[in-house]
Amino acid sequence: MNAKLVHYYFGTKEELFSACISETFLNEGLAELLTSIPNTDEESLGTRYLLKVLSIMENPQLGPIYISIIRSLGASEESRRVFHGFLNDVIFDTLLPALETDNPVLRLTLMGSQIIGLITTRYILELGPLAELSKEQVAALIGPTLDHYLIDPCDMSSNKNH
C-alpha cells in the first residue's frame, strides 16, 4: 500500500491501526453484546462475549493483528498509545453510557485484564492445557468470571487488608 494513501485517509500508522481495531470491535457485534447486560435468558454474557473474542483471535486475517498488538504493548510506546486510544475512544465511549451499573470503568478494566491475560497465555505463550482447549471450553470456563466483573456488586467502599 502506498504510504501517501495511509496518510491521506488516516493521518498516521497509529490512526490506521486504531481504525482497524475499532472497526473489528464494532463490526463483530462486541459492543452490542456487552450493552445487553444483564441477559440471563441463556448462557452467560461473559461466555458469549469471550467466545466472540476467541473467534476473532482464531480468525486467520484478524487474529495475527491482535496478537502482534498484544505482544508489543510492553515494548512499544506506539502500540500502547493505539491500544489506549482504542480503550478510551471506542470501548469506554461506546460502553460506559450503556452500562447502568456501579463502577463501570473498573468493571471494564477488570474484564480487559482477564482477556489480555487469557490472550497472552493462550496465543502468545501457548501454555499447556489452556492453549489446547477448544475456544468453547475456554469461554465456558472463564465466561462466568467476566460475568462476575460485569454484573455482581462491586463495593469499593470497604478496604480490608488480609
Side-chain angles (χ1 to χ4, degrees):
M1 174 182 283
N2 186 324
K4 290 180 182 179
L5 286 175
V6 171
H7 289 290
Y8 178 78
Y9 286 104
F10 298 99
T12 65
K13 276 192 318 183
E14 187 175 304
E15 292 170 312
L16 171 64
F17 287 133
S18 182
C20 290
I21 294 170
S22 300
E23 285 300 312
T24 300
F25 180 78
L26 297 172
N27 290 339
E28 293 296 325
L30 294 172
E32 289 84 10
L33 188 57
L34 280 181
T35 56
S36 69
I37 297 168
N39 182 349
T40 57
D41 297 340
E42 47 192 79
E43 72 181 335
S44 83
L45 175 64
T47 300
R48 289 183 289 135
Y49 183 80
L50 194 52
L51 190 55
K52 276 197 173 254
V53 169
L54 294 173
S55 294
I56 291 168
M57 295 306 299
E58 294 181 10
N59 176 309
Q61 285 80 38
L62 299 174
I65 295 167
Y66 287 97
I67 290 170
S68 69
I69 290 171
I70 299 293
R71 273 192 173 124
S72 66
L73 286 177
S76 166
E77 182 60 36
E78 182 180 22
S79 293
R80 281 192 298 277
R81 273 195 313 272
V82 168
F83 200 72
H84 196 265
F86 165 70
L87 291 175
N88 284 325
D89 299 342
V90 177
I91 300 283
F92 292 152
D93 285 356
T94 301
L95 297 179
L96 288 179
L99 292 178
E100 296 176 6
T101 185
D102 62 326
N103 298 304
V105 173
L106 175 62
R107 290 172 181 277
L108 290 174
T109 304
L110 289 169
M111 188 173 162
S113 71
Q114 184 76 39
I115 293 171
I116 290 174
L118 169 62
I119 290 169
T120 300
T121 304
R122 181 174 169 90
Y123 298 103
I124 296 173
L125 300 175
E126 298 178 1
L127 286 181
L130 187 57
E132 296 166 4
L133 293 172
S134 72
K135 64 184 177 209
E136 292 81 11
Q137 290 171 311
V138 173
L141 287 169
I142 298 176
T145 300
L146 300 183
D147 289 336
H148 168 69
Y149 291 149
L150 287 170
I151 299 167
D152 290 348
C154 186
D155 183 11
M156 295 299 298
S157 63
S158 65
N159 186 10
K160 298 177 184 175
N161 294 325
H162 297 282

